[in-house]
């Protein structure tokens, strides 16, 4: 669906171009320029239409034009990274005939992979969203991160979140081990094939210490404001390439302050077309959405053709900003 022209998309492109011209004139040297790519991140896959964090939701997101598919990580008692948003199984998992008592309730980190693999994470969706229900969602399993890598290999871009990392020691090391096993570490560094995100600065700083070349996104919770996030940008820029604020905290001041530090801005979770248009006009560099088709339609012809190209262009723009910033710093130091 990338490249589809819509009247709304054309209007949005016009608005974005006009605002970009204004922001460009005001941007300090070395600042990230606002005319760059807007990345379409399928939040838990196309989770508005299919059960979150299932292959059905990921496949659909990719068909709908998502540049990235998102994974939230939890770790099982036996140390396996699985893809599930909540720390507990209760909201989205249902027992099946294979399940023992309690296998599909409670904390993921207190279950073995074998227990978790008995659970069905599709049925809840059919009950909650009958308008999108499909019989084939019944019985869908929680994927491991390794199964996600095995299915898509290097054909997609991954946007991976370390969830509650303080409760799962070793999560970051295991993530990097799997990225190494599937040959994803270098393409992550070179062309943002994997972006690693977290609400936890400590988790991202740990990844940064393990491998400073990896691109990291610092998430900020909805309890923050534009101002409180701005106050943390200098510290964030020491290890991250971008920020993930709640959509309600994004304004021109935050985008300008982030771009002045070469930090990309990827708000979450943006589901309405009008909100998407507003955020694009504010100059964001991408966004998480449960409805990647809507963002693709809003972007229209300005959507980048090809997800690999989109990620590579985003990396290049960020890298160019950092290069210019460094040259500016050296020039002012006379070195
Ligand atoms: O990772 C971006 C966004 O997903 C953060 O919120 O709770 O949906 O993981 P959450
Ligand atoms: Ca997330």
């Amino acid at each position: 669906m990338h490249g589809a022209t819509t009247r709304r998309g054309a209007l949005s492109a016009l608005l974005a171009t006009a605002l970009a011209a204004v922001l460009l004139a005001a941007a300090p040297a070395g600042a990230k320029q606002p005319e760059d790519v807007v990345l379409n991140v399928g939040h838990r896959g196309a989770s508005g239409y299919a059960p979150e964090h299932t292959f059905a939701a990921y496949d659909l997101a990719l068909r709908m034009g998502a540049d990235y598919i998102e994974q939230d990580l939890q770790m099982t008692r036996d140390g396996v990274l699985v893809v599930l948003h909540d720390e507990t199984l209760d909201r989205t998992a249902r027992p099946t005939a294979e399940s023992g008592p309690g296998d599909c309730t409670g904390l993921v980190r207190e279950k073995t992979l074998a227990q978790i693999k008995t659970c069905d994470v599709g049925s809840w969706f059919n009950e909650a969203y009958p308008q999108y229900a499909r019989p084939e969602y019944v019985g869908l399993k929680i994927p491991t991160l390794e199964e996600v890598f095995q299915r898509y290999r290097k054909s997609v871009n991954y946007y991976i979140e370390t969830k509650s990392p303080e409760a799962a020691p070793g999560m970051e090391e295991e993530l990097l081990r799997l990225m190494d096993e599937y040959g994803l570490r270098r393409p992550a560094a070179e062309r943002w094939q994997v972006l690693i995100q977290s609400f936890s600065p400590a988790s991202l700083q740990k990844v940064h210490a393990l491998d400073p070349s990896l691109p990291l996104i610092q998430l900020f919770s909805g309890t923050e404001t534009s101002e409180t996030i701005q106050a943390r940008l200098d510290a964030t820029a020491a290890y991250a390439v971008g920020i993930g604020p709640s959509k309600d905290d994004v304004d021109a001041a935050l985008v300008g302050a982030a771009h002045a530090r070469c930090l990309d801005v990827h708000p979450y979770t943006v589901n309405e077309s009008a909100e998407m248009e507003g955020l694009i006009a504010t100059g964001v560099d991408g966004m998480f959405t449960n409805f990647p088709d809507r963002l693709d339609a809003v972007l229209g012809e300005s959507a980048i053709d090809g997800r690999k190209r989109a990620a590579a262009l985003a990396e290049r723009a960020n890298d160019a900003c950092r290069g210019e910033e460094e040259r500016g710093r050296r020039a002012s130091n006379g070195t």
Side-chain angles (χ1 to χ4, degrees), residues 43 70 72 85 161 163 197:
H43 182 244
E70 193 213 12
D72 292 310
H85 177 268
E161 179 177 351
K163 274 272 182 229
Q197 51 165 337

Side-chain angles (χ1 to χ4, degrees), residues 2-289:
H2 259 128
T5 308
T6 65
R7 212 174 288 174
R8 187 185 282 153
L11 176 65
S12 158
L14 260 178
L15 278 172
T17 307
L19 193 91
V22 173
L23 290 175
L24 190 57
K32 190 163 183 305
Q33 304 305 331
E35 78 278 23
D36 302 326
V37 181
V38 175
L39 296 174
N40 183 339
V41 183
H43 182 244
R44 314 181 196 174
S47 58
Y49 297 116
E52 64 189 57
H53 290 317
T54 62
F55 291 138
Y58 293 152
D59 288 351
L60 188 58
L62 296 166
R63 286 202 298 278
M64 289 180 160
D67 298 309
Y68 282 81
I69 48 173
E70 193 213 12
Q71 289 77 40
D72 292 310
L73 296 184
Q74 307 288 342
M75 191 177 250
T76 64
R77 195 174 86 203
D78 43 350
V80 180
L81 291 181
V82 295
V83 182
L84 193 80
H85 177 268
D86 299 2
E87 281 186 273
T88 63
L89 292 152
D90 303 57
R91 180 175 61 90
T92 58
R94 300 287 176 272
T96 65
E98 307 157 46
S99 306
D103 279 356
C104 302
T105 59
L107 289 164
V108 173
R109 62 177 167 272
E110 292 178 354
K111 313 291 176 198
T112 62
L113 180 65
Q115 286 177 292
I116 277 177
K117 277 291 187 185
T118 69
C119 309
D120 158 4
V121 285
S123 293
W124 78 274
F125 180 88
N126 285 355
E127 289 156 21
Y129 302 100
Q131 70 275 35
Y132 297 125
R134 285 172 171 258
E136 62 266 32
Y137 294 161
V138 175
L140 290 178
K141 302 291 185 196
I142 296 171
T144 65
L145 182 63
E146 179 157 23
E147 287 166 346
V148 177
F149 286 167
Q150 281 169 346
R151 182 176 182 89
Y152 301 106
R153 303 277 167 178
K154 291 184 189 168
S155 70
V156 306
N157 303 311
Y158 305 92
Y159 208 129
I160 304 176
E161 179 177 351
T162 59
K163 274 272 182 229
S164 312
E166 59 293 334
M171 177 177 271
E172 295 85 358
E173 287 88 346
E174 180 61 4
L175 169 59
L176 297 196
R177 187 191 72 73
L178 282 169
M179 286 172 61
D180 280 336
E181 190 173 332
Y182 288 86
L184 287 165
R185 195 188 296 214
R186 203 163 151 185
E190 291 180 353
R191 51 180 189 274
W192 285 12
Q193 187 150 28
V194 183
L195 287 170
I196 300 174
Q197 51 165 337
S198 190
F199 285 103
S200 162
S203 180
L204 293 182
Q205 286 160 0
K206 182 173 181 183
V207 175
H208 187 70
L210 291 166
D211 185 346
S213 73
L214 290 174
L216 310 178
I217 305 290
Q218 178 67 60
L219 300 174
F220 292 94
S221 87
T223 60
E224 304 268 3
T225 64
S226 169
E227 289 73 24
T228 62
I229 297 171
Q230 286 178 58
R232 292 175 56 188
L233 292 179
D234 282 333
T236 301
Y239 56 86
V241 299
I243 60 170
S246 173
K247 63 183 179 185
D248 296 328
D249 294 332
V250 176
D251 56 19
L254 178 60
V255 174
H259 284 177
R261 293 160 177 81
C262 300
L263 290 166
D264 282 36
V265 181
H266 297 164
Y268 65 89
T269 303
V270 189
N271 290 331
E272 301 303 327
S273 301
E275 294 176 317
M276 294 169 181
E277 287 168 359
L279 287 163
I280 291 167
T282 309
V284 302
D285 308 284
M287 63 191 82
F288 295 83
T289 178

Side-chain angles (χ1 to χ4, degrees), residues 303-325:
I304 303 297
D305 208 6
R307 48 182 168 263
K308 277 197 177 173
R309 188 159 165 262
L313 286 174
E315 187 282 332
R316 206 181 304 161
N318 188 280
D319 193 54
C321 180
R322 281 164 198 279
E324 210 176 309
E325 191 181 54

